[in-house]
Amino acid sequence: MLWGMAEHLRTPQRSNSRSVRLRSALEGLPHYVPGAGGANASVFKLSSNELPGPLLPAVTAAIADAAEDINRYPQMYADRLTGALAEHHGLDADQVLVGNGSVALIELILRSMCEPGDEVVYPWRSFEAYPILVQVTGAAGVQVPLSADGAHDLDAMARAITPRTRVVMVCTPNNPTSVALSHRDLVAFLERVPRQVLVLLDEAYVDFVRSPDPVRSTDLLDMYKNLMVLRTFSKAHGLAGLRVGYALGRRRLIRTLRAASTPFAVNALAQAAALAALGQVDRMRERVAEVIVERDRVVSALREQGWSIPDAQGNFYWLDVGAHARALAEDAEAAGVTVRPFQGEGVRITVGEPEANDIALAVAARWVHAGA
Ligand code: PMP
């Protein structure tokens, strides 16, 4: 017996039957490809939809202050930040759930809602974390292609809902095409979604929207109990490195999700920074306004070059270059900016510093023939 065990330990394992096994749902899981950083500091990063520029001084000070107490655990559920967000949005604290980036909240919500055999409907192409997070739950992802102009095909999404559907993801402005939904179209869609299906409205880029009928999501929470809204401090607030996002929704759902969430998920520096950032909303809006001026300048210049650009409402724009995506991205990096290629589909470029945007424009001019 003992000899047998020793023999076993010495023999390299050939079959999988005795090795550690992950859930079969994880087989063939796609990998999230983060936006590339430049080979050196002189390369501008336009590949991750971040805000250019340094932290606001009040936020830097709050982080430095919080660092003094870093031997202590943070507030477990970020109570102060949760309260401040509730006040900011005119909601109750038990309608707000703070998480370690909105992507962690998507994960929490999907794993709290879905089981194998369930379905999650989402637009495609959209945020590349969706298929990964859906697959991990064991539920089936139902991808609904965007329409030709890069918008959600809400009619097709409504038709894709079956009795197995638990969640529908909606992303506005959509990453990577940057197209936003109108309030009217969203409401018409919500009217078509059965009440037992959660609509997860991902508004990571909401602050950059300047369309005529912008979505007013928080106004809809009372009316549509199956609506949950996701926001983040990563984009307009420029705090991507700290990882703070939040969900807004129905009290009963939020309370249970809070109980199911990772304890102490949001670190103390992140809580302090987000709280300070919330006290600086006017400064945030000024910086966002600068990005929007740049976005509009770049999109107009691209159209003058001959590009057909979807209506950009995020801090990024989409070049529909199909099979040339990777080559364009390589050309861009050689020219001094990193962008995000989706080979076979297109390239997403963040609106950055004016100098970086000028480089992107010069690169784009060389690829106009590749555009659709
Ligand atoms: N939603 C969308 C549409 C995004 O583009 C991103 C980030 N790229 C996220 C959510 C995640 O943001 P966070 O940094 O809050 O996890």
Side-chain angles (χ1 to χ4, degrees):
M1 176 75 179
L2 272 176
W3 167 250
M5 280 175 68
E7 184 68 2
H8 164 70
L9 289 174
R10 266 188 269 131
T11 313
Q13 289 186 356
R14 291 224 172 76
S15 99
N16 272 338
S17 61
R18 294 223 187 163
S19 54
V20 170
R21 271 199 311 139
L22 295 165
R23 283 168 47 233
S24 56
L26 273 60
E27 276 166 30
L29 201 60
H31 287 254
Y32 188 123
V33 181
N40 58 61
S42 67
V43 175
F44 291 100
K45 186 168 179 240
L46 302 184
S47 55
S48 294
N49 295 348
E50 296 148 339
L51 201 72
L55 281 178
L56 298 175
V59 176
T60 313
I63 294 172
D65 260 9
E68 306 260 317
D69 293 323
I70 216 71
N71 56 317
R72 304 287 176 202
Y73 280 96
Q75 286 190 322
M76 179 141 96
Y77 295 126
D79 294 340
R80 277 187 70 204
L81 178 58
T82 303
L85 283 166
E87 199 180 318
H88 180 75
H89 289 293
L91 299 169
D92 290 348
D94 52 5
Q95 291 179 282
V96 182
L97 177 62
V98 178
N100 186 30
S102 57
V103 76
L105 291 167
I106 301 173
E107 189 207 351
L108 169 68
I109 294 161
L110 290 176
R111 82 168 146 76
S112 304
M113 298 284 306
C114 301
E115 286 170 317
D118 292 339
E119 291 175 356
V120 178
V121 172
Y122 58 88
W124 198 248
R125 178 164 282 275
S126 190
F127 180 31
E128 69 180 305
Y130 298 161
I132 303 171
L133 300 177
V134 170
Q135 189 179 326
V136 169
T137 67
V142 178
Q143 299 187 340
V144 179
L146 300 176
S147 46
D149 58 356
H152 285 35
D153 184 345
L154 290 177
D155 186 48
M157 287 176 69
R159 281 187 280 109
I161 295 171
T162 74
R164 292 171 188 264
T165 309
R166 302 299 313 279
V167 181
V168 179
M169 304 285 317
V170 175
C171 184
T172 181
N174 185 54
N175 175 5
T177 52
S178 208
V179 176
L181 287 173
S182 69
H183 190 76
R184 188 185 150 152
D185 288 350
L186 176 66
V187 170
F189 177 72
L190 289 168
E191 285 295 324
R192 292 179 67 181
V193 178
R195 292 295 179 258
Q196 71 277 15
V197 174
L198 182 78
V199 176
L200 198 48
L201 184 68
D202 185 343
E203 294 195 298
Y205 303 98
V206 65
D207 300 288
F208 301 99
V209 175
R210 292 296 180 273
S211 57
D213 181 26
V215 167
R216 301 179 302 279
S217 56
T218 49
D219 292 356
L220 299 173
L221 288 172
D222 272 347
M223 175 89 170
Y224 299 96
K225 307 276 187 229
N226 58 333
L227 176 65
M228 194 168 284
V229 175
L230 286 168
R231 300 281 179 94
T232 180
F233 282 87
S234 297
K235 307 298 177 181
H237 286 286
L239 298 181
L242 280 169
R243 320 296 308 118
V244 193
Y246 57 100
L248 306 172
R250 187 182 185 181
R251 292 169 187 80
R252 186 178 64 80
L253 287 176
I254 293 286
R255 275 197 295 261
T256 307
L257 288 170
R258 201 188 317 280
S261 68
T262 310
F264 306 108
V266 182
N267 73 73
L269 304 187
Q271 292 188 27
L275 202 55
L278 207 53
Q280 301 275 304
V281 169
D282 290 346
R283 294 295 318 280
M284 178 273 272
R285 292 203 178 114
E286 283 164 27
R287 303 220 308 192
V288 164
E290 288 166 19
V291 172
I292 290 169
V293 167
E294 273 300 284
R295 175 184 75 196
D296 295 349
R297 174 180 81 85
V298 172
V299 169
S300 308
L302 287 167
R303 290 191 174 132
E304 270 168 37
Q305 288 179 6
W307 287 95
S308 160
I309 303 283
D311 183 24
Q313 292 292 329
N315 62 336
F316 55 97
Y317 51 95
W318 175 248
L319 300 181
D320 186 358
V321 288
H324 303 281
R326 203 172 296 137
L328 190 156
E330 281 163 14
D331 186 19
E333 180 152 10
V337 295
T338 57
V339 299
R340 176 71 173 90
F342 296 89
Q343 183 58 12
E345 294 171 74
V347 172
R348 187 193 71 199
I349 306 182
T350 307
V351 177
E353 301 84 345
E355 193 187 342
N357 300 333
D358 287 342
I359 297 172
L361 278 173
V363 172
R366 297 199 278 276
W367 291 88
V368 184
H369 66 277

